[in-house]
């Protein structure tokens, strides 16, 4: 469905049928993780964690960095299209933003063991869910439709990732 197609009169509820109706939906909904009825953002972040660990089996850190770099514009596109088709500016079922942002966190904190990864997960989820300070600013600043809206969906999660990374860096520096 191109972005210029006639829109539904009411917001679209995500479903497996909706997810498979367009490749952007599949990406934006995190291959189904965003369909979780409970805490889809957390489900998407858990999926990201698992997907990252699987990537480490076959890809070097540089190759994972390339995957992340390609995922940023691809995620922006997928979020823009899917939000438009759902008629919701920032639907909770869109978790591509959590996936890419958490991949960045893991890519920068690795190598670390399970507990270090769990701390990174908890910090990222805290900043993404609570949206303190700069994350709230990022969330408010880029609302809208089209490319601006898709950027806004991605941007606040990237700021949440940055906040988590800054806290991890400070912890590593001072301990």
């Amino acid at each position: 469905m191109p972005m210029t197609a006639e829109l539904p009169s009411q917001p679209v509820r995500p479903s497996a049928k909706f997810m498979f109706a367009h490749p952007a939906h599949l990406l934006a909904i995190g291959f189904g993780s965003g369909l979780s009825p409970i805490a889809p953002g957390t489900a998407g972040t858990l999926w990201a964690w698992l997907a990252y660990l699987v990537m480490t089996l076959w890809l070097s850190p540089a190759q994972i960095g390339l995957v992340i770099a390609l995922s940023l514009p691809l995620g922006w596109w997928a979020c823009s299209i899917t939000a438009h088709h759902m008629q919701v500016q920032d639907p909770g079922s869109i978790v591509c933003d959590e996936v890419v942002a958490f991949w960045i966190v893991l890519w920068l904190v690795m190598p670390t063991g399970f507990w270090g990864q769990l701390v990174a997960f908890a910090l990222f989820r805290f900043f993404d869910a609570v949206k303190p300070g700069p994350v709230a600013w990022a969330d408010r600043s880029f609302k809208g439709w089209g490319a601006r809206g898709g950027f806004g969906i991605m941007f606040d999660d990237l700021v949440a990732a940055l906040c988590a990374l800054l806290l991890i860096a400070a912890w590593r520096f001072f301990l």
Side-chain angles (χ1 to χ4, degrees):
M1 209 183 306
M3 288 184 62
T4 57
E6 189 171 321
L7 298 172
S9 59
Q10 294 189 13
V12 174
R13 298 200 71 188
S15 64
K17 181 179 177 183
F18 175 81
M19 181 178 67
F20 288 112
H22 193 288
H25 302 173
L26 187 64
L27 292 173
I29 295 174
F31 297 92
S33 60
L35 296 177
S36 172
I38 301 167
T42 300
T45 308
L46 287 169
W47 185 90
W49 190 358
L50 176 63
Y52 187 89
L53 294 176
V54 170
M55 281 193 288
T56 64
L57 298 174
W58 292 288
L59 302 176
S60 70
Q63 291 169 320
I64 292 172
L66 182 60
V67 168
I68 292 168
L70 294 173
S71 296
L72 286 164
L74 191 61
W76 182 357
W77 168 79
C79 290
S80 299
I81 297 278
T82 305
H84 180 77
H85 289 175
M86 291 180 74
Q87 281 298 281
V88 179
Q89 286 187 357
D90 191 354
S93 60
I94 289 182
V95 297
C96 179
D97 48 341
E98 279 90 1
V99 171
V100 176
F102 192 57
W103 281 353
I104 292 169
V105 171
L106 288 173
W107 187 58
L108 293 172
V109 302
M110 293 299 244
T112 189
F114 173 77
W115 295 108
Q117 293 171 45
L118 184 62
V119 166
F121 173 85
L123 286 172
F124 173 71
R125 288 307 305 143
F126 168 78
F127 284 108
D128 185 35
V130 175
K131 299 192 185 319
V135 184
W137 168 83
D139 188 50
R140 286 188 311 269
S141 296
F142 295 95
K143 293 292 183 190
W145 298 106
R148 178 183 176 84
F151 178 78
I153 291 170
M154 298 286 292
F155 187 58
D156 70 304
D157 289 83
L158 295 172
V159 173
L162 177 63
C163 291
L165 286 165
L166 287 172
L167 206 55
I168 292 167
W171 175 53
R172 285 181 173 177
F173 181 77
F174 290 109
L175 291 181

